[in-house]
Amino acid sequence: MADPVTSTVVGKIVDLLFSAAKREIDYVRNRTKNVEKLKSETQKLKDTRERIPQLIKAAKEKGEALVNGEEVKNWMNKAGDEISKVELFLEEEANAKKTCFNLQPCVNLCTLSHYSKMAKNKTASLLDLQNAGESHEKCLSIPTRTPGLVDLYQPKNLDGIDSHKLALRDTIQAIKDESNQIVGIYGSGGVGKTTLAKEVAVKMKNLFADIVFITVSQTVNVKEIKENVEVAAKRIINGEKILIILDDIWEPPVLSDLGIPCGKDHMNCKILLTSRKINVYEAMNVDKKIPVNILIPTEAWILFKRVVGDEKIANQDRLEKIANDVSKECGGLPLLIEAVGNALKSKPIDRWEAALKQLQKNAPVDIDPEIRQAFTKLKLSYDLLGSEVAKWCFLMCSLFKEDGIIDMLRLAEYGVALQKFNDPDSINDAQESAQTAVDILTSSSLLLSEGDKVKMHDVVRGVALFITSSSQGEEKDKFLVEAGKNLTEWQPRNRTSDKYTKISLMNNRIRKLPDHQLHFPHLDTFLIRSNYLSIIPDDFFEGMKEVKVLDMSLNEIISLPKSLKLLTKLITLDLSGNESLDEISILGELKGLEILKVRGTGIKVIPKEIGQLINLRLLDAGECYYLSDVTPGVISKLTCLEELYIGTDEENAVSRLCLMEIRKLKFFRALHFSTNSNACHLFPEGTYFEKLQEFFFQFIDIDTERFLLQSDFDRSKSHLKRRLRIARSKFPFKMSIKKLFQESDGIELDYIQDLDNIIPDLYVENTSDKLKAIELYSSENVSCLVKTTIEDEDATKEKLFSQVEQIRLHDLKNLKLLFDCSFQYISLRNLQDITISSCSSLLTVFPLSVAQGLYNLRRIQIWDCSSLVVVISGGDEQTTVSDIEQTEDIEIEVGIHDANIEFRWLARIDLTNLPQLKSFYSGDSTIKYPSLKFIQVKNCPSMKSTWGHGVDDMLNVDDTPNHNFTPKEGKLLPIECELLPIEGELLL
């Protein structure tokens, strides 16, 4: 009998051998499956590895900052190595398979098992790399923000306003204190909390990687706030120092719910709050609370005189006494001081006396105490507005949500319908009238200007709402405003109202409207923009037949109600952004329409019924991705049409859009048109566009670039009125397209094949005197901007590019220099901004004679140009590509030794990742930079030569211990330096 122990051991050995044999058999059986799986995962990894450089390129084109650059680079190397190894392995496996079956079966099985096992192991390794690659794809870049608060805000003069200077100092010190994370400033409405927070942001901009300013308001929009802090939150988690300002909070927010990383693990995140209520901070355990008090009388008087003008008051003894009393009536609130001061500063003394009496009257008692305090003063500013249009705009601004951006184009469209612009000759005239009114309101401190946007202070808005709700306005309008209150439904308490003239339900979450008839016999404006409506009851509009303005944009409407055709007095109708709306024939019944917007809807055709709208002045059908046809004859029937915005991705749509019909329209002035780039060569001849006052043509691959349309293909009031953009097309273009170049003041070309230059390739008459902006991207064959022969130069009568204000060049691999011609024919006297990136063959930017004419240059940005040796070359007048290529270091003798260069307005120089850059300027002339504010030189290891004589005067600094930027004797050392603000001296 066998030993039990021995039997057990033998049994285990047999089991192990059997298991091993089974695994080997499984490997053999699954060889094909494992190898195919490896091939599949290899291809996926290849695809990811190919996408990432494209994403990096796209991010750079959009001006986004790359994150985890070294990690991505290491991953790319690892993935490349692994792919190479796998491809070699697969080649070996294929050869082994071919020869294997000529050998003994056992050898066959061993070989097949080996390769199957290796394939499985390598697949696991590839999966790990693939997962890492996908993670890099998702968080490869951070969108570079557009110019924001810190860039646009103009600091206030706080001289003599000691209480606010003290609050500013205390706030900055509290934020600098590493033991504090959350700092709160508090004070009454209109006391200047928001202004103080903006001052803090400007003063501390160099201490933070970014500053995010968010207005919270009474109705908190958590989703919107989370979107605004999303990028900043990623940067905080990555360890960057970020300041987040939450302005105008009313209730204690839960910061984590807003997506803001905070707590001891994220002390690199600093948070500044403003609120009217100190108890909000008590609930949040704010680290430091700082009061902002009303101004004492002496401070209020200093500010008031500053607003009105010291000389005006000092030169009139009688006025000084009245002005002092007026100042006291403002209660020490800067908001009221500025509003009243601006309202009175241009008025005669008798108006001052009347204003003082009005200010001394009591405000209505049945309103909010804060509004009551401000009412009389702001109502005076409103009453003193010299323009009735400005008064109307002021009241209309209250229809927008609290602290919301006020859209001036919408004000113009509403005003056209309500006849507030004295019968303007064109829609453009109405827009200019609205802009003028807004300018009056901002100069009167009744609107707040933030760059090119305007907002209304909530106290001011409260006064406007009181005026409109109590029918105290001169127009006797009565408004019902429920904008931005997160309403999910709207059920008016009274089914009948004989008083309301305007209703605003904008920016809510309303999904359902009342299913019974409402009666608003005097309603002329109904705004329900930006909600969640999908169905509108068929009889909804039966009780509001006087409506002239109807804005239902940015909803989810799928069909239009039958009662819409009863609105026979409707002038302005906006249905934009209702993506499921595909049928608009009913609109043909609205014969009075002058403005119709169906942008971004699902319409497939402009139906024949639209041709009945003979009063239509503006038709906006841009971004209608399914639009494939315009019924022939419709456009020509719109005899009053002034502006047309239309887009389609159909290649053959150009002929069907009946663009030739436009020439029949007497009042037509503006066309914005977008179509597929393949239709570029189908563009019709003789389309009469040279007589248009404004146009924007886009020929693009819409499937690839649809995301760009939202920002690029819009109704922005750019100073460039005649723009042309072509992407992913082939050169040469037909003559009709070349004529568009001839008439354009702004051109953008992306991914154009076979294009060598702008002049003479694109210009029929070899001139560009209308051109103001040039943008060229990813067109590999472009070697220069201008390439002329002797014959061309003999025929040239005017300087080229004399009107150009902006040049942007990106990813032009064959670009060696900008001008391959005699420089005497080039003038860039109006150039303000030049940006060049990823142009790997570029050797130099400006020759000396061209640089001497850069009178208006504001900014130079150059990065990732691996061959660039010098920015301004000291070359002679006839230097060409061949000259530069034959010159080893571009130390060419200057043609005009005694000529000086002064960049009078140059404020910013960015030079990044330029490994061959030896100097900014290679010649002998003196260069001066009296306005320079920022320099960034980074990753320019060869830069050892001079910036140009006078650089020490430019910097006026000897010691910069916290930076490696050390200018001595006009030299720039080969080091990396960060962005340095210069205001007479370096601010560290």
Side-chain angles (χ1 to χ4, degrees):
M1 180 177 291
D3 185 347
V5 174
T6 302
S7 298
T8 301
V9 171
V10 170
K12 289 184 176 180
I13 292 173
V14 170
D15 289 342
L16 290 172
L17 290 173
F18 179 77
S19 298
K22 183 178 183 300
R23 283 196 300 272
E24 294 301 317
I25 293 171
D26 287 342
Y27 281 129
V28 173
R29 185 169 59 241
N30 294 324
R31 179 195 60 80
T32 301
K33 177 182 176 182
N34 290 343
V35 171
E36 290 302 317
K37 175 71 172 174
L38 177 61
K39 289 179 179 178
S40 174
E41 293 303 325
T42 303
Q43 188 58 50
K44 288 181 182 178
L45 187 60
K46 278 184 178 180
D47 292 343
T48 302
R49 193 172 182 273
E50 289 175 0
R51 282 197 303 270
I52 284 182
Q54 294 173 0
L55 292 172
I56 291 174
K57 182 178 179 181
K60 286 183 177 180
E61 288 178 6
K62 292 186 285 183
E64 296 181 353
L66 300 179
V67 296
N68 302 328
E70 282 302 316
E71 291 183 23
V72 174
K73 183 177 179 181
N74 292 336
W75 180 88
M76 292 284 290
N77 292 334
K78 287 180 182 178
D81 292 343
E82 195 63 29
I83 289 171
S84 298
K85 291 176 182 177
V86 169
E87 288 178 338
L88 182 61
F89 167 78
L90 289 172
E91 185 178 342
E92 292 177 357
E93 189 273 340
N95 292 332
K97 184 172 66 175
K98 291 178 183 177
T99 59
C100 187
F101 294 105
N102 295 325
L103 304 176
Q104 296 298 321
C106 63
V107 177
N108 292 346
L109 293 176
C110 290
T111 302
L112 295 176
S113 174
H114 166 73
Y115 281 105
S116 179
K117 184 187 299 183
M118 291 289 290
K120 190 168 184 178
N121 291 339
K122 287 182 178 295
T123 298
S125 177
L126 290 183
L127 285 172
D128 290 340
L129 277 170
Q130 176 67 11
N131 291 334
E134 290 175 353
S135 297
H136 289 314
E137 279 189 283
K138 292 176 182 177
C139 55
L140 185 65
S141 64
I142 294 175
T144 300
R145 60 179 177 81
T146 54
L149 170 81
V150 174
D151 308 289
L152 302 174
Y153 178 73
Q154 296 296 318
K156 300 288 186 182
N157 180 2
L158 295 180
D159 291 345
I161 318 296
D162 294 336
S163 60
H164 280 201
K165 287 177 73 173
L166 179 61
L168 177 61
R169 186 199 67 185
D170 290 348
T171 304
I172 291 174
Q173 289 180 348
I175 294 173
K176 285 182 176 179
D177 189 335
E178 293 300 324
S179 64
N180 296 330
Q181 181 170 52
I182 306 176
V183 177
I185 57 180
Y186 63 93
S188 59
V191 78
K193 302 182 297 299
T194 300
T195 299
L196 184 63
K198 292 177 180 178
E199 293 285 334
V200 170
V202 172
K203 296 290 185 185
M204 303 193 75
K205 62 185 178 182
N206 298 314
L207 299 180
F208 293 94
D210 197 10
I211 296 177
V212 181
F213 192 100
I214 299 171
T215 303
V216 178
S217 303
Q218 281 183 277
T219 305
V220 182
N221 189 327
V222 174
K223 180 181 178 182
E224 185 176 306
I225 294 173
K226 289 179 75 172
E227 289 174 354
N228 287 333
V229 302
E230 182 179 5
V231 173
K234 291 179 183 178
R235 300 180 71 177
I236 292 167
I237 292 172
N238 287 335
E240 293 187 76
K241 196 171 182 180
I242 305 291
L243 173 62
I244 295 177
I245 301 175
L246 299 179
D247 182 44
D248 193 23
I249 63 174
W250 290 70
E251 299 294 336
V254 179
L255 297 176
S256 57
D257 290 348
L258 301 179
I260 301 174
C262 55
K264 62 181 181 180
D265 294 332
H266 301 292
M267 291 301 289
N268 54 311
C269 173
K270 295 282 189 170
I271 300 165
L272 177 62
L273 311 173
T274 78
S275 180
R276 301 180 187 184
K277 306 175 181 179
I278 189 173
N279 61 319
V280 169
Y281 298 156
E282 302 291 347
M284 294 180 66
N285 295 319
V286 167
D287 298 307
K288 186 74 174 179
K289 298 179 283 291
I290 298 167
V292 183
N293 298 315
I294 62 173
L295 305 183
I296 62 175
T298 54
E299 294 174 336
W301 180 231
I302 289 171
L303 178 58
F304 191 84
K305 288 191 294 182
R306 195 167 288 157
V307 172
V308 174
D310 286 326
E311 291 184 3
K312 179 180 179 68
I313 293 176
N315 293 335
Q316 301 183 57
D317 293 338
R318 183 178 164 205
L319 177 61
E320 183 172 10
K321 172 65 170 62
I322 298 171
N324 202 315
D325 290 340
V326 168
S327 171
K328 292 175 182 177
E329 287 296 325
C330 293
L333 292 175
L335 172 70
L336 303 183
I337 291 171
E338 293 190 5
V340 173
N342 281 312
L344 289 172
K345 63 183 180 182
S346 60
K347 299 295 188 292
I349 194 166
D350 59 325
R351 297 295 298 274
W352 281 78
E353 292 172 335
L356 179 59
K357 292 178 181 179
Q358 186 174 338
L359 288 171
Q360 291 169 340
K361 293 180 180 178
N362 293 326
V365 296
D366 56 341
I367 57 175
D368 178 270
E370 215 161 50
I371 302 299
R372 186 189 310 132
Q373 180 186 18
F375 180 85
T376 305
K377 290 80 177 176
L378 292 175
K379 180 64 164 55
L380 172 66
S381 296
Y382 167 80
D383 289 337
L384 290 176
L385 288 171
S387 164
E388 292 302 315
V389 175
K391 286 186 175 182
W392 174 81
C393 280
F394 172 76
L395 299 180
M396 290 295 287
C397 287
S398 69
L399 295 172
F400 293 83
K401 71 174 184 177
E402 181 182 342
D403 291 314
I405 298 298
I406 295 166
D407 190 328
M408 284 178 282
L409 285 178
R410 292 190 178 278
L411 285 177
E413 291 162 358
Y414 299 163
V416 167
L418 300 174
Q419 298 180 316
K420 294 298 179 181
F421 300 128
N422 297 320
D423 195 21
D425 291 335
S426 67
I427 297 293
N428 187 64
D429 289 344
Q431 293 166 353
E432 291 178 356
S433 294
Q435 180 65 62
T436 300
V438 167
D439 291 343
I440 292 172
L441 294 173
T442 53
S443 65
S444 302
S445 299
L446 293 175
L447 286 182
L448 305 174
S449 177
E450 296 185 358
D452 59 349
K453 300 175 181 178
V454 293
K455 298 170 69 174
M456 182 176 261
H457 191 286
D458 51 1
V459 172
V460 178
R461 182 173 181 266
V463 171
L465 286 174
F466 181 78
I467 293 172
T468 58
S469 64
S470 61
S471 299
Q472 294 210 10
E474 291 184 10
E475 299 297 327
K476 301 301 179 185
D477 278 350
K478 186 174 177 64
F479 292 10
L480 174 61
V481 181
E482 300 284 354
K485 293 188 176 181
N486 287 332
L487 301 179
T488 57
E489 64 176 347
W490 181 55
Q491 291 289 346
R493 292 183 180 179
N494 299 320
R495 294 192 178 189
T496 302
S497 175
D498 294 332
K499 296 181 180 179
Y500 289 125
T501 58
K502 293 172 179 60
I503 295 176
S504 174
L505 305 173
M506 294 193 291
N507 300 100
N508 283 297
R509 300 177 181 178
I510 299 171
R511 296 181 180 274
K512 183 180 179 182
L513 291 173
D515 55 5
H516 53 78
Q517 184 174 323
L518 301 176
H519 189 58
F520 293 100
H522 300 295
L523 192 68
D524 60 31
T525 303
F526 186 69
L527 312 177
I528 194 164
R529 168 184 169 84
S530 192
N531 278 279
Y532 297 106
L533 290 174
S534 59
I535 301 292
I536 299 176
D538 267 341
D539 60 351
F540 182 76
F541 294 113
E542 289 184 3
M544 48 182 80
K545 296 179 182 178
E546 297 294 316
V547 168
K548 297 178 181 177
V549 177
L550 178 57
D551 190 343
M552 299 191 292
S553 59
L554 297 178
N555 277 280
E556 300 169 358
I557 297 170
I558 59 177
S559 63
L560 299 175
K562 295 178 181 178
S563 59
L564 186 63
K565 64 184 179 182
L566 300 177
L567 303 183
T568 57
K569 296 185 179 180
L570 195 60
I571 305 295
T572 294
L573 173 62
D574 193 347
L575 298 169
S576 302
N578 290 286
E579 297 179 359
S580 298
L581 180 63
D582 59 6
E583 173 55 54
I584 59 171
S585 298
I586 190 177
L587 301 182
E589 302 285 339
L590 304 176
K591 303 295 194 299
L593 270 184
E594 296 184 18
I595 296 174
L596 173 59
K597 301 170 68 176
V598 291
R599 172 178 290 263
T601 60
I603 59 171
K604 299 174 183 177
V605 62
I606 303 292
K608 64 179 181 180
E609 288 82 359
I610 297 301
Q612 301 172 25
L613 305 179
I614 59 173
N615 291 304
L616 201 63
R617 302 168 70 180
L618 184 152
L619 174 59
D620 186 352
E623 298 180 36
C624 294
Y625 304 127
Y626 305 104
L627 181 64
S628 60
D629 201 3
V630 176
T631 303
V634 166
I635 301 299
S636 60
K637 289 178 181 177
L638 305 177
T639 55
C640 293
L641 196 65
E642 301 169 21
E643 302 185 9
L644 174 64
Y645 303 79
I646 197 162
T648 172
D649 61 357
E650 290 291 322
E651 292 183 13
N652 297 321
V654 174
S655 59
R656 295 202 301 273
L657 284 170
C658 304
L659 295 180
M660 294 294 290
E661 296 182 28
I662 291 174
R663 66 186 307 165
K664 302 177 183 179
L665 303 177
K666 179 180 179 181
F667 303 105
F668 197 78
R669 59 167 300 277
L671 173 64
H672 287 213
F673 173 69
S674 177
T675 191
N676 196 290
S677 55
N678 293 327
C680 184
H681 297 284
L682 300 174
F683 197 72
E685 297 283 354
T687 41
Y688 203 60
F689 298 131
E690 65 273 11
K691 294 188 178 181
L692 290 177
Q693 296 177 36
E694 177 182 331
F695 63 69
F696 181 22
F697 287 96
Q698 283 198 120
F699 299 94
I700 61 178
D701 183 342
I702 292 182
D703 288 336
T704 302
E705 305 189 44
R706 184 168 291 178
F707 68 93
L708 291 173
L709 293 178
Q710 189 66 33
S711 58
D712 286 356
F713 185 44
D714 60 12
R715 295 183 52 212
S716 64
K717 303 308 293 180
S718 168
H719 73 290
L720 299 177
K721 297 300 183 184
R722 301 161 70 83
R723 296 174 287 164
L724 173 62
R725 178 172 184 246
I726 304 178
R728 302 183 187 278
S729 187
K730 293 182 178 180
F731 182 81
F733 302 125
K734 62 185 298 186
M735 186 58 66
S736 57
I737 298 296
K738 283 194 172 185
K739 287 183 178 179
L740 282 179
F741 280 103
Q742 199 76 29
E743 299 299 326
S744 298
D745 56 15
I747 62 170
E748 179 182 336
L749 301 173
D750 307 347
Y751 297 94
I752 306 299
Q753 300 176 30
D754 304 324
L755 177 67
D756 182 18
N757 56 65
I758 290 180
I759 295 176
D761 279 6
L762 299 179
Y763 286 86
V764 180
E765 299 175 5
N766 198 30
T767 182
S768 60
D769 57 339
K770 296 179 182 179
L771 200 57
K772 293 182 179 179
I774 302 170
E775 299 186 35
L776 299 180
Y777 301 116
S778 303
S779 299
E780 293 189 357
N781 292 332
V782 171
S783 63
C784 57
L785 299 185
V786 180
K787 179 182 288 185
T788 59
T789 64
I790 295 176
E791 291 78 11
D792 293 329
E793 292 172 358
D794 289 341
T796 300
K797 297 179 180 180
E798 296 185 6
K799 299 239 180 185
L800 302 175
F801 297 147
S802 60
Q803 301 302 314
V804 170
E805 298 172 0
Q806 182 183 80
I807 297 175
R808 297 188 185 279
L809 309 172
H810 174 75
D811 192 26
L812 306 176
K813 291 181 170 46
N814 198 40
L815 181 73
K816 295 181 179 178
L817 75 172
L818 272 60
F819 312 110
D820 191 359
C821 62
S822 296
F823 303 139
Q824 66 188 29
Y825 298 108
I826 304 298
S827 170
L828 295 174
R829 61 174 181 261
N830 284 302
L831 183 66
Q832 298 179 24
D833 184 350
I834 182 166
T835 300
I836 304 175
S837 60
S838 300
C839 294
S840 55
S841 299
L842 185 66
L843 301 171
T844 184
V845 181
F846 299 117
L848 175 63
S849 58
V850 173
Q852 287 172 327
L854 296 172
Y855 305 123
N856 288 291
L857 189 64
R858 263 73 168 170
R859 180 167 66 174
I860 300 175
Q861 296 183 109
I862 308 174
W863 66 82
D864 295 336
C865 295
S866 55
S867 299
L868 187 73
V869 180
V870 63
V871 177
I872 300 175
S873 167
D876 63 24
E877 289 292 311
Q878 302 300 322
T879 302
T880 62
V881 172
S882 58
D883 296 324
I884 293 175
E885 289 175 337
Q886 292 170 10
T887 304
E888 183 175 352
D889 57 5
I890 314 190
E891 295 295 335
I892 303 172
E893 185 176 350
V894 182
I896 307 174
H897 291 280
D898 298 329
N900 294 333
I901 303 174
E902 181 176 358
F903 294 121
R904 181 175 300 176
W905 304 111
L906 184 60
R908 185 180 187 119
I909 301 175
D910 292 348
L911 304 173
T912 304
N913 294 336
L914 308 173
Q916 300 301 318
L917 184 68
K918 295 183 178 180
S919 63
F920 183 76
Y921 169 54
S922 64
D924 297 347
S925 300
T926 298
I927 302 182
K928 296 181 179 180
Y929 314 79
S931 300
L932 199 59
K933 300 294 182 185
F934 292 94
I935 301 175
Q936 175 168 282
V937 179
K938 196 170 185 179
N939 294 335
C940 300
S942 301
M943 193 167 180
K944 302 175 182 179
S945 187
T946 61
W947 276 85
H949 299 289
V951 71
D952 287 336
D953 296 335
M954 169 187 78
L955 295 173
N956 190 26
V957 60
D958 297 319
D959 185 25
T960 56
N962 294 329
H963 298 86
N964 292 326
F965 188 88
T966 314
K968 293 180 180 179
E969 299 178 358
K971 301 288 185 180
L972 182 68
L973 302 183
I975 41 83
E976 292 184 8
C977 69
E978 300 300 326
L979 196 62
L980 306 179
I982 301 170
E983 297 175 0
E985 62 179 7
L986 279 175
L987 300 177
L988 301 180

